[in-house]
Amino acid sequence: MKKLSFMLLALLTVTLFTACGNDDKPENRQTVSMVINNRAIDGDQVVFSQANAKVEMNYTDMEIQINTEYKDVTEHSHTISTPTMALINMGGSVYSFGTSNNGEISGYIDFATGMTWFIINDNAGPVICTSQLLYAYTTTSVNNPDNGNHNTHEHSAYLFVLDSKCEKCILRISNFIPNIAGSVEASEVQFNDLTVTPTSTGYTITAAQAEASNKSYTITDLNVNLSSQCQVINGSFKCKDLDFAIMGKVFPNVNWAEPF
């Protein structure tokens, strides 16, 4: 996938889509371990939890099965083990899945990025579950406020790695372009300790100032809204006296509507 640098793809192997040891299984089957971030929702009330999910896939029959944990809005813990679910192509690398009549669970997975999203219809209220949040289908606008020169591109991807308490997160930007010329200056930059807040529609990510881990770049005034149950990203920040605006979505071929 052209938007993702080699380094980011390597990191995704660890943070999104890490294969477990299953050498005894045929090559058309794979079991992966995935960090899942959960938001149980009841009106404006949100309960966050994080779990390590086991996802089993059969590429010959195009089926998926998920084992994971979550907390409901009353903060009671649950374990869910789905039946085998059919993977239905939505176009390109994105597939949908769900139990009968989209009852207990339904969602999407992007085999190009490993990004996974699903909803659990718990009796206490819906629970939105995602892998660490990767927005590879974005448009980034870069503007010089002094002279109005600007550039718009679709080369950068944005990965948000949430901590277990949903208090801080890491932002990794693939193909970073902090200039008007549109040239990639870094295959990846990482910013640590950003503030993350769960909401009833997704998350907000903020930072007054953050320095890249390699100390080559500093961003300020970061304000990112992950909305429509994390399907949509809108955000802004400043770097090198330039204004950045981000917009896009988590899956390219899903006509999104709020699930509840």
Side-chain angles (χ1 to χ4, degrees):
M1 185 175 181
K2 68 178 182 179
K3 288 188 178 181
L4 302 183
S5 68
F6 174 81
M7 185 179 296
L8 181 53
L9 283 171
L11 287 165
L12 285 173
T13 303
V14 176
T15 58
L16 289 183
F17 221 50
T18 304
C20 300
N22 58 342
D23 295 337
D24 58 328
K25 293 187 178 182
E27 292 184 359
N28 66 339
R29 295 177 181 270
Q30 185 181 27
T31 300
V32 299
S33 177
M34 186 183 300
V35 174
I36 295 292
N37 299 305
N38 310 304
R39 287 177 304 108
I41 302 168
D42 182 11
D44 293 332
Q45 180 185 0
V46 180
V47 172
F48 176 86
S49 60
Q50 190 176 85
N52 289 313
K54 183 176 75 172
V55 181
E56 299 180 2
M57 286 170 290
N58 180 326
Y59 299 108
T60 299
D61 298 329
M62 294 309 293
E63 294 176 334
I64 188 171
Q65 195 268 334
I66 299 174
N67 296 273
T68 190
E69 299 175 348
Y70 68 93
K71 289 183 178 179
D72 64 25
V73 290
T74 67
E75 301 197 22
H76 283 85
S77 297
H78 301 268
T79 298
I80 183 171
S81 181
T82 73
T84 299
M85 300 173 287
L87 288 162
I88 301 172
N89 186 247
M90 303 295 291
S93 58
V94 178
Y95 288 75
S96 66
F97 57 85
T99 52
S100 299
N101 300 317
N102 291 333
E104 187 177 23
I105 184 173
S106 60
Y108 305 95
I109 185 168
D110 187 342
F111 283 112
T113 65
M115 182 63 212
T116 305
W117 181 104
F118 56 92
I119 179 172
I120 298 171
N121 293 301
D122 185 87
N123 290 333
V127 184
I128 304 297
C129 312
T130 73
S131 55
Q132 299 287 23
L133 291 154
L134 173 63
Y135 295 86
Y137 308 98
T138 61
T139 299
T140 303
S141 298
V142 187
N143 179 66
N144 186 331
D146 293 332
N147 55 28
N149 291 338
H150 63 276
N151 172 266
T152 301
H153 65 83
E154 298 181 350
H155 301 300
S156 297
Y158 301 84
L159 172 66
F160 300 90
V161 182
L162 279 58
D163 70 7
S164 61
K165 295 182 179 179
C166 197
E167 295 175 349
K168 297 292 183 179
C169 77
I170 295 169
L171 167 60
R172 295 172 181 151
I173 306 176
S174 175
N175 297 328
F176 190 46
I177 303 177
N179 56 67
I180 299 300
S183 57
V184 175
E185 291 189 13
S187 59
E188 181 177 281
V189 290
Q190 176 172 313
F191 301 95
N192 300 325
D193 296 324
L194 310 181
T195 300
V196 55
T197 304
T199 71
S200 60
T201 61
Y203 301 90
T204 58
I205 315 289
T206 58
Q209 180 173 309
E211 188 177 73
S213 54
N214 62 6
K215 298 185 179 180
S216 297
Y217 302 96
T218 298
I219 61 175
T220 64
D221 304 293
L222 175 75
N223 193 324
V224 176
N225 185 27
L226 309 180
S227 61
S228 294
Q229 304 309 337
C230 301
Q231 292 283 335
V232 175
I233 180 172
N234 285 283
S236 60
F237 63 90
K238 299 178 185 293
C239 182
K240 296 175 64 173
D241 298 321
L242 300 174
D243 295 336
F244 290 71
I246 312 161
M247 62 181 300
K249 52 186 180 178
V250 76
F251 297 118
N253 301 316
V254 175
N255 294 321
W256 183 249
E258 290 284 353
F260 52 86

